[in-house]
Amino acid sequence: MSYLDFFGLKEDPFKITPDPSFFYESLSHRTAKNLLKYVVENGEGFCVIIGEPGTGKTTILRKFLSELPENYIFALILNPNLAPEEFLKTLLDEFMLPYDKDISKNEILKILKAFLLKNISKGIKTLIIIDEAQLMPVETLEELRLLSNLETEKEKLIQIILVGQPELEEKLKLPELKQLNDRIINKMFLERLSLKEVEKYISHRLRMAGGEKIKIDPKVYELVYNHSKGIPRLINVIMSKALMIAFLDNSLEIKPIHINSAAKSLSDEESDVSFYHYLLIFILFLGIIIALVYILFQTGGIKV
């Protein structure tokens, strides 16, 4: 019997992959989703959502996209570490627009503008959505600003949503991106979950997965909050391990001992990763030293 069968679960309630069907609307997450909705409905040029790793940025994005009306199309860029022309070609690919291999930047912009004008004439709104936007080179971010200049007398031809980690905020403050930053009026920072929200988050995900028979010791919620610091991804990892430990313990109730064991196993795994990481660095460093000594010896730099 699998642990899912043991608990009567339809699926893993704490999988770490972003799943809009499991979306829990904390106050901060609801505000972010509503801001995205407001920005696209009102034709705003830019919107920026910033949050620490694991706070649910991608899940919010996927939930928002799943609810878009039919008159919206979008390009979703998940790997934005691209030079300006590579980025523009990626947009053509996302919108399935044909182009020659050796196309110039000006020709790309002409194709994009014609495509956007055609969409506007049909009542279709076009979005560019960039996840992990902190990875974008400064030059490519500046290219985004230039793209945002495409407009008719009445409205923007394109709307741009940037989603990223706190490093994005620092990058936008660079002097060379001042003009872009000045245009970004709609910006918000995702907050971690509060203790009460952690309790509701866990209950919501269990309910969505059919876990009505699972009992939770009330002390569990505070322990999960303390170990996870309110970060949804860490909550998922801890609870997923705790469920497995409870299954091995033949218990339908998640108890504090299960949470503490799960958190300890995570801590041990991180320690092992850190140990091997530093061991690898040491071995590489030692190899470089040996190679340099050998080269010096061969060239006469070291005499015996």
Side-chain angles (χ1 to χ4, degrees):
M1 175 186 290
S2 71
Y3 86 98
L4 293 179
D5 293 330
F6 177 76
F7 290 115
L9 294 165
K10 296 179 290 186
E11 56 184 311
D12 182 357
F14 298 107
K15 53 192 173 185
I16 60 173
T17 52
D19 186 344
S21 66
F22 277 82
F23 180 66
Y24 166 72
E25 284 196 350
S26 69
L27 176 60
S28 183
H29 288 70
R30 185 185 312 119
T31 303
K33 189 165 74 77
N34 288 342
L35 176 63
L36 290 171
K37 184 178 178 181
Y38 167 82
V39 166
V40 298
E41 286 180 351
N42 289 275
E44 302 284 334
F46 279 96
C47 180
V48 173
I49 305 291
I50 293 175
E52 298 173 77
T55 49
K57 301 182 297 298
T58 302
T59 304
I60 290 171
L61 198 54
R62 294 193 182 280
K63 180 67 175 176
F64 162 72
L65 293 177
S66 71
E67 297 175 352
L68 274 179
E70 292 183 357
N71 64 318
Y72 285 85
I73 62 170
F74 61 87
L76 176 59
I77 311 298
L78 301 175
N79 180 22
N81 187 13
L82 301 166
E85 287 198 25
E86 290 177 313
F87 175 75
L88 292 173
K89 287 180 179 179
T90 299
L91 289 182
L92 294 181
D93 291 334
E94 286 290 312
F95 291 127
M96 294 184 287
L97 299 172
Y99 60 92
D100 294 330
K101 180 180 177 181
D102 299 321
I103 191 172
S104 69
K105 180 179 173 181
N106 284 338
E107 290 171 326
I108 293 175
L109 292 174
K110 286 180 182 177
I111 292 174
L112 277 174
K113 186 173 182 180
F115 172 70
L116 296 172
L117 285 170
K118 185 177 180 181
N119 286 344
I120 287 291
S121 69
K122 294 180 177 180
I124 297 173
K125 294 189 176 183
T126 309
L127 310 177
I128 296 177
I129 303 164
I130 300 164
D131 201 2
E132 301 295 346
Q134 76 278 356
L135 299 176
M136 292 191 80
V138 170
E139 297 81 5
T140 309
L141 281 166
E142 176 61 12
E143 191 66 51
L144 273 182
R145 182 185 69 83
L146 297 176
L147 272 180
S148 71
N149 289 334
L150 298 175
E151 57 188 2
T152 66
E153 292 181 357
K154 295 183 178 180
E155 59 187 317
K156 294 282 185 182
L157 293 183
I158 201 161
Q159 294 170 269
I160 299 167
I161 296 169
L162 302 177
V163 179
Q165 298 179 19
E167 294 87 344
L168 175 60
E169 170 73 357
E170 297 305 312
K171 184 170 281 188
L172 290 172
K173 290 179 180 177
L174 293 172
E176 52 266 52
L177 291 176
K178 185 179 185 306
Q179 291 186 66
L180 171 60
N181 200 32
D182 288 345
R183 294 189 182 191
I184 300 172
I185 300 172
N186 299 291
K187 180 191 300 181
M188 80 158 289
F189 297 81
L190 280 182
E191 302 291 337
R192 300 180 182 193
L193 302 184
S194 67
L195 173 57
K196 193 65 178 176
E197 287 174 332
V198 168
E199 179 178 347
K200 291 180 178 179
Y201 177 87
I202 292 172
S203 299
H204 170 77
R205 293 188 76 101
L206 285 173
R207 185 171 60 254
M208 294 299 294
E212 289 82 5
K213 63 192 291 187
I214 299 174
K215 297 179 181 179
I216 304 284
D217 185 306
K219 296 177 183 176
V220 158
Y221 302 115
E222 187 171 358
L223 281 173
V224 174
Y225 173 74
N226 290 336
H227 287 303
S228 69
K229 309 302 181 186
I231 296 176
R233 185 184 297 162
L234 292 181
I235 296 171
N236 287 359
V237 173
I238 291 169
M239 285 300 300
S240 184
K241 281 186 173 289
L243 279 175
M244 180 58 69
I245 293 169
F247 164 63
L248 296 174
D249 193 29
N250 200 34
S251 173
L252 285 172
E253 181 180 19
I254 309 301
K255 304 172 184 178
I257 190 173
H258 301 142
I259 301 300
N260 288 330
S261 296
K264 185 179 184 303
S265 70
L266 289 175
S267 178
D268 291 343
E269 287 174 11
E270 289 176 0
S271 297
D272 289 342
V273 170
S274 296
F275 171 76
Y276 287 113
H277 174 74
Y278 288 118
L279 179 61
L280 179 60
I281 291 175
F282 172 75
I283 292 171
L284 290 173
F285 180 73
L286 185 62
I288 291 171
I289 295 296
I290 293 171
L292 288 174
V293 170
Y294 176 78
I295 292 170
L296 288 172
F297 181 80
Q298 290 294 103
T299 57
I302 295 178
K303 297 182 179 179
V304 179

